[in-house]
Amino acid sequence: RSIEDGKAIVDVAFTLRSYAMYPFDLTGTVEIRPPDGAGEVLSQDFRTGYFNGAQRRRLTFEIPDPQLWWPNGMGEQPLYTLRIDARAVEHHRGDAGHSSDECELRFGIRTLEMRPTPDGRWKYDWIFAVNGRPFFAKGSNWMPIDQMLRLDPEHYNRLLQRAADSHINMLRPWGAGLLETDAFYEAC
């Protein structure tokens, strides 16, 4: 949400779903681990109470001295790890009905904004700023890499490395085509 005074405020929102015939009581933990693995692991517990259907949860974390993510050519891209563990008890079965699920993803901490140009002399009167620093976005459109949907992670890595080597720091996946896979975003 913001980066100021030496800390990042990060909102984590997720939806818990139950497709069971009987209500569940869910408890769980949300953890944020630092990129280098050497810093403090931040953790918050949650509990839903009985429910079936879906529940949306939102937790806020304060990350001290965040390691900032920068676009290609401007600095490092440290990634934090977010892990959500949820445990459930089916009430009609008592303790014998325990089940669990987990989710893990990586994310970078940065601010990105469009600002008006300082002197208004350009055709388009705005610029991008990342982490408060203005930069020139060198972008390209991204089309599906294979019409037969052979979406091999190595193929993604090879093509995205070519884009990085060309000093591209912004990609726009084509909105009328394939919704890109997790492998694409991992490779990015």
Side-chain angles (χ1 to χ4, degrees), residues 2 6-7 21 37 67 73-74 82 109 134 137 154 160 162 186:
S2 67
K7 64 184 174 190
M21 196 171 4
Q67 297 179 43
M74 293 182 68
L82 171 72
I109 295 178
E154 283 188 28
L160 289 167
R162 287 180 182 163
E186 284 296 317

Side-chain angles (χ1 to χ4, degrees), residues 20-25 50 89-97:
M21 196 171 4
Y22 301 98
F24 280 88
D25 181 13
Y50 303 139
V89 175
E90 297 176 51
H91 290 285
H92 73 286
R93 294 172 58 183
D95 286 343

Side-chain angles (χ1 to χ4, degrees), residues 42-59:
L42 303 174
S43 178
Q44 288 187 43
D45 294 328
F46 64 88
R47 183 179 191 107
T48 65
Y50 303 139
F51 89 103
N52 58 0
Q55 271 193 17
R56 186 86 172 145
R57 288 294 171 157
R58 181 180 296 267
L59 301 173

Side-chain angles (χ1 to χ4, degrees), residues 12 29-33 41-44 61 81-85 105 107:
V12 176
T29 304
V30 177
E31 289 182 349
I32 295 180
R33 297 174 187 265
V41 175
L42 303 174
S43 178
Q44 288 187 43
F61 287 84
T81 301
L82 171 72
R83 181 179 176 87
I84 302 172
D85 288 307
L105 62 88
F107 68 96

Side-chain angles (χ1 to χ4, degrees), residues 3 8 35 65-70 75-80 108-111 130-132:
I3 302 170
D65 301 315
Q67 297 179 43
L68 299 182
W69 180 96
W70 294 93
E76 298 297 315
Q77 293 89 32
L79 296 175
Y80 287 77
I109 295 178
R110 55 93 181 116
T111 60
V130 66
N131 300 327

Side-chain angles (χ1 to χ4, degrees), residues 11-166:
D11 289 330
V12 176
F14 55 97
T15 301
L16 300 160
R17 288 189 177 91
S18 169
Y19 300 106
M21 196 171 4
Y22 301 98
F24 280 88
D25 181 13
L26 278 106
T27 61
T29 304
V30 177
E31 289 182 349
I32 295 180
R33 297 174 187 265
D36 54 14
E40 178 185 0
V41 175
L42 303 174
S43 178
Q44 288 187 43
D45 294 328
F46 64 88
R47 183 179 191 107
T48 65
Y50 303 139
F51 89 103
N52 58 0
Q55 271 193 17
R56 186 86 172 145
R57 288 294 171 157
R58 181 180 296 267
L59 301 173
T60 299
F61 287 84
E62 203 172 277
I63 299 176
D65 301 315
Q67 297 179 43
L68 299 182
W69 180 96
W70 294 93
N72 182 34
M74 293 182 68
E76 298 297 315
Q77 293 89 32
L79 296 175
Y80 287 77
T81 301
L82 171 72
R83 181 179 176 87
I84 302 172
D85 288 307
R87 296 167 297 285
V89 175
E90 297 176 51
H91 290 285
H92 73 286
R93 294 172 58 183
D95 286 343
H98 281 282
S99 62
S100 64
D101 201 359
E102 61 189 41
C103 172
E104 187 171 290
L105 62 88
R106 297 179 323 147
F107 68 96
I109 295 178
R110 55 93 181 116
T111 60
L112 181 63
E113 57 187 324
M114 288 175 57
R115 294 180 176 174
T117 56
D119 55 10
R121 65 186 168 131
W122 303 100
K123 179 178 178 181
Y124 299 103
D125 195 23
W126 53 268
I127 57 173
F128 286 113
V130 66
N131 300 327
R133 185 188 314 164
F135 77 102
F136 182 73
K138 298 172 283 267
S140 178
N141 288 325
W142 179 266
M143 301 293 288
I145 61 173
D146 188 323
Q147 297 304 314
M148 299 300 290
L149 300 180
R150 295 171 294 213
L151 305 173
D152 178 15
E154 283 188 28
H155 196 168
Y156 278 126
N157 289 336
R158 203 168 39 253
L159 291 173
L160 289 167
Q161 186 59 55
R162 287 180 182 163
D165 292 345
S166 299

